[in-house]
Structures are given as C-alpha cells and as structure tokens.
Amino acid sequence: MRRSLAGVALAVTSMVALSFLIPLAALVMSLVKEQSVTAAEQRAAALAPVLTLTTDPSALRESAASLDATEHLVVHLPDAPALGSSRAPAALLERAQKGRESISQQIPSGWICLQPVVLPGDRVAVIENFVPEEELTRGVNTSWAVMLLLAVGLIGGSVLVADRLGAKVVRSSKRLAHASQALGEGNLDARVDPMGPKELRDAGVAFNAMAHRMTELLAVERELVADLSHRLRTPLTALHLASERMAGSPESARVEAAVSELETELQAIITAARTPLAVGPMGQGMLGTEAGTGHHAAGAGAAGPRCEAADVVRRRTAFWAVLAEQQSRPCSLELTQEPAAVSLSDDDVAAVVDALIGNVFRHTPPGTPFGVSVVRTAQAVELVVEDAGPGIPEPDRALSRGSSTGSSGLGLDIARRAAAVTGGSMNIARGPRGGAHITVVFALAPPLLSGRRTRISRRRTGWPRGR
C-alpha cells in the first residue's frame, strides 16, 4: 500500500509537472527569440536617421559601432561596397532595395533584419542587422535547467510526503491486523492504539470495543456454565444420601463410587469454568484450529500440557467396566506399550474417551459388543472406538453440535476439537463389527528427551473388572 501511494503521487505529480513544463519551456524559448529579434530591429531603425543626414562611411561606421559592438550592423549604400561583413542572402538584399520592404527572416545561421532607407535622389540604402543563432537561444538552457530542477524537487517532495502518509497508514493497518490475529489466537488482552487517518482510528476504537465486549461475554458465559454445573450438586447430594441408605447392599459400593467420580468431574468443570478466561488447549483449538491452524496449535502444545494417552485410556476404561459388566457388553481393550505422549492434559483425553464410550452406551442396546484400542504410529497416536451397533448413517451431520437426532452432538465434537488441537484429525466409518468405527488421531507430543524409537507392540486384554 505504501508503494502504491508513492507510485500514485509520482505519476500524478509527473503528469502535472510535464503539463506545465513543456509549454513553459516553449514559451521561454519563444520569448528569448522574440527579444533578440526586436533588439536587432530597433538597432537597425536607430541607424536610419543617421543615413538621412550623411552617407560618409567613417561616420556611419562610428554610429554602427556605437549601436552594435558585435559589428553585426552593416550598411549597404547604393553604388558602393557594404560597410561591414554582410551575411544577408543576395535575393533578400535585392528584394529590400528594389521593393523598399522591411524584411525580418530566419536564415540557416541565425536571423537577418533588413531595413531600407530612402536617400536623396530616390536612392535606397539598406541597413542589415544579423542575429547569430546562439543569441536567439541565449539563457534558454539555463532557464530549462532551473525549471527541470524545480519539477524534480516538486515530484520528489510529493513522493516523500505520500510515502510518509502511506507509512502512517500502513503502520496503523499492521497494528490493527496484528491485534486481530492475536485476538484470533486466543489473546483476549489484545488491543490496538488507534492512530493514522480518521477511518483507521475509528476502526481501532471499534476493534477495542469489540474485544472488550467479547471478553465480557466470555466471562458471563463461563460463569453461567459454572452456575449451571453447580446446580447439579443438589441431585448429587440426594444420590449420596440414597447410597448411604443402601449401605450393606451389593450395589452400594458401586453407586457410591460412581457418585464420587461424578462429583469429582463436576468440581473440575466448575473450577475450569471459573478460571478467569483461561484457555487451555481445547480452548485454543476452538479459537485457532477451526481456521486450519492445527500446526500452530500443535507447536504451542509442546510447551503446554502433556500426558500419556494409553494410561488415561486404561484408567477411563476401568471406570466404564462396571457398567459394561452390568449390561453384559462383550468388550476388548488394546493398548500400545510404546510411549504415547500427546499435547493434551489428562482431563482433555479423558473427556474424549468418556464421550466416545458414552455414545456407545447411549446409542446401542445392552449386550452390544464394542472395543477400544490405542495404536502408536511413527507420527501419531490413534484412539479407536468401535462397536457392533447400527453405526452412524450421516457422519458429517453427527459432527455438528445439536444436529444429531436424539443427541446434542457434543461428544463427537469434543473428540474432533481435541484431535485438531494437536494437529490431528478424526474419522467416522463402518467397522469390521458392523457398527461405528471412530478413529481419533492425536499428533505425538514433541519428545522431552531424545531416544531411540522402539517397536510398536500391542497387548489385547479384557476390560478390568471390579475396579
């Protein structure tokens, strides 16, 4: 933009300068020529009265010398040689003598002025004044040089002013762009100092107001989430009391363990919601990865949270094992023995596992088999959850929040965003069991210490029971 403004100023000023410079240069040259010719004619006319008084050669030479020191003033007397060095063509001289016509005309070497004078006895003398070519253009080159310097100065000054104005506009635009990019990457404190032209200042003020309002709305939303989560404490308390009344029964311990786990998760949600606008990796994924910046988010994860995905999956499967046993669901667990570190916290990976396994329990009838596996590849960790249920007929629609029939669509969206934060992906297909086959790919976290790559191995086990 800065170059464009400077180019526009250069083009406009150059055209304006040329439109004035060319006619002015021609006018200067015409004026200098006209002044030289007029002076020559005046000198010839000044010598004419002397001829009417005397035709003495010495007197005429003295008068001509006093009028023209360059000895270009020549007198042609009838029946006598010319008094001086004549440069007039014979045809012009004869025309002036016989026709008694004043002639002022350009010749190859300059300009000639012929002034006839009628002497006593009806004789005609001719006064010749020659103006050399250099006198016709004397001072023209200097005038042109001065005008050219002035034009160059004006053009340079306009380009400099345009460049300074353009730099101010560009600087203001870049600051606004950088602040917008920072806000888009999750820096809610990003603001811009309004500067530059009025339009850009207004844009900066509007951006600051938008960022402030967005921060306020996010704070209100997070507080609302915390309040809604806190309202679940009342039914949890009732469940605690019910489990206490069931003390001694076989189901009491399991119900108490499930209620305790739910209360722990609820407390974690309230704590995270009330952290002042803290955006963890999942929050960064919402702000950055949606636009295709997964690589950036993965890089940012190197300095952020980190966990072993296989360990988290093992712990969460233990939680779901109790319900799987109660519903007589055949299930399998397959875990890699390779290090499977990903750039997510334990809670984030646990949320993905809970969402996917929870969907199996929610959307398939009791007794439907399913399996979970964690596979380590060269560049990623793959979490696979599959079942023998009816499958997912519209995978793309299932990924949209609130669009799935009978479901909020949050579970699959949580898994997709978690994968995108690390630079991975998610795929929904129909698996060998005949039902849904969901693969969540997490990019490997950058290694903390360099070491040799070990072989990938798998261990197939049953779900832990009674844990």
Side-chain angles (χ1 to χ4, degrees):
M1 183 177 182
R2 182 175 175 181
R3 291 183 178 179
S4 299
L5 290 175
V8 170
L10 176 63
V12 172
T13 313
S14 298
M15 288 189 293
V16 172
L18 287 176
S19 65
F20 281 96
L21 188 62
I22 293 176
L24 189 59
L27 179 61
V28 168
M29 186 171 186
S30 175
L31 288 176
V32 171
K33 182 177 180 180
E34 184 178 350
Q35 289 177 356
S36 300
V37 172
T38 301
E41 292 175 347
Q42 290 176 350
R43 287 193 294 269
L47 188 59
V50 179
L51 274 174
T52 59
L53 296 176
T54 179
T55 57
D56 181 49
S58 59
L60 292 174
R61 286 193 182 94
E62 184 178 353
S63 299
S66 64
L67 292 173
D68 187 4
T70 57
E71 298 182 355
H72 291 154
L73 198 59
V74 179
V75 178
H76 297 272
L77 295 173
D79 303 328
L83 303 179
S85 178
S86 175
R87 291 178 177 81
L92 289 180
L93 188 58
E94 182 179 0
R95 175 181 163 189
Q97 285 178 338
K98 292 183 178 180
R100 302 181 181 182
E101 177 184 354
S102 296
I103 298 174
S104 181
Q105 182 175 323
Q106 187 170 7
I107 60 175
S109 57
W111 195 274
I112 195 74
C113 296
L114 298 177
Q115 178 67 42
V117 178
V118 179
L119 301 178
D122 199 26
R123 296 178 303 164
V124 178
V126 178
I127 302 174
E128 171 192 338
N129 198 355
F130 173 71
V131 182
E133 187 69 32
E134 57 269 15
E135 288 191 13
L136 294 175
T137 58
R138 180 177 297 173
V140 172
N141 292 336
T142 303
S143 300
W144 284 2
V146 172
M147 289 187 293
L148 183 61
L149 288 176
L150 288 175
V152 170
L154 289 174
I155 294 173
S158 66
V159 171
L160 181 62
V161 171
D163 180 72
R164 291 298 88 200
L165 292 175
K168 198 172 182 179
V169 172
V170 169
R171 185 162 55 250
S172 179
S173 302
K174 284 184 176 180
R175 289 186 179 182
L176 185 58
H178 291 163
S180 301
Q181 183 177 4
L183 184 64
E185 292 174 353
N187 182 9
L188 300 180
D189 294 328
R191 298 294 185 273
V192 64
D193 183 19
M195 60 176 295
K198 182 180 182 301
E199 291 78 9
L200 286 177
R201 291 199 304 271
D202 293 343
V205 172
F207 172 83
N208 291 340
M210 177 198 68
H212 181 70
R213 180 58 177 164
M214 186 177 70
T215 304
E216 289 181 345
L217 292 177
L218 285 174
V220 171
E221 181 182 2
R222 293 174 68 86
E223 195 62 30
L224 179 60
V225 171
D227 293 343
L228 293 176
S229 301
H230 191 272
R231 290 166 61 181
L232 295 177
R233 288 186 179 275
T234 299
L236 278 177
T237 303
L239 287 176
H240 270 299
L241 295 176
S243 65
E244 290 176 359
R245 288 195 297 269
M246 295 169 58
S249 65
E251 298 296 326
S252 176
R254 293 181 179 179
V255 172
E256 184 64 27
V259 172
S260 298
E261 183 71 21
L262 181 58
E263 187 171 11
T264 301
E265 293 294 329
L266 185 60
Q267 183 61 39
I269 292 174
I270 295 174
T271 302
R274 285 201 167 139
T275 301
L277 295 181
V279 284
M282 293 290 282
Q284 291 173 1
M286 292 177 66
L287 293 172
T289 314
E290 296 295 336
T293 57
H295 178 74
H296 172 76
R306 183 187 183 94
C307 73
E308 284 291 332
D311 293 341
V312 178
V313 173
R314 183 183 293 109
R315 291 196 301 269
R316 295 314 301 163
T317 56
F319 172 78
W320 289 97
V322 178
L323 186 57
E325 183 179 3
Q326 290 177 351
Q327 295 186 356
S328 301
R329 290 180 181 268
C331 52
S332 63
L333 174 64
E334 185 179 349
L335 299 175
T336 179
Q337 294 180 348
E338 286 259 3
V342 296
S343 299
L344 291 171
S345 67
D346 288 5
D347 291 340
D348 290 335
V349 176
V352 174
V353 177
D354 290 343
L356 297 181
I357 298 179
N359 280 344
V360 174
F361 281 81
R362 191 175 298 111
H363 300 291
T364 61
T368 302
F370 70 98
V372 180
S373 64
V374 176
V375 181
R376 158 76 185 266
T377 65
Q379 301 293 333
V381 176
E382 296 181 359
L383 169 64
V384 179
V385 177
E386 58 180 343
D387 60 64
I392 302 176
E394 297 179 283
D396 294 336
R397 184 181 178 187
L399 289 173
S400 300
R401 287 184 168 223
S403 61
S404 300
T405 304
S407 170
S408 64
L410 296 179
L412 295 179
D413 186 65
I414 290 173
R416 179 186 62 82
R417 289 191 294 114
V421 165
T422 67
S425 61
M426 179 176 172
N427 181 58
I428 301 176
R430 187 171 292 276
R433 299 173 184 263
H437 184 277
I438 302 175
T439 304
V440 182
V441 181
F442 303 104
L444 281 173
L448 298 178
L449 296 175
S450 60
R452 294 184 306 169
R453 180 181 298 174
T454 57
R455 295 181 58 190
I456 299 176
S457 60
R458 299 178 180 177
R459 177 170 57 87
R460 183 175 297 275
T461 66
W463 286 75
R465 298 176 181 272
R467 295 171 57 185

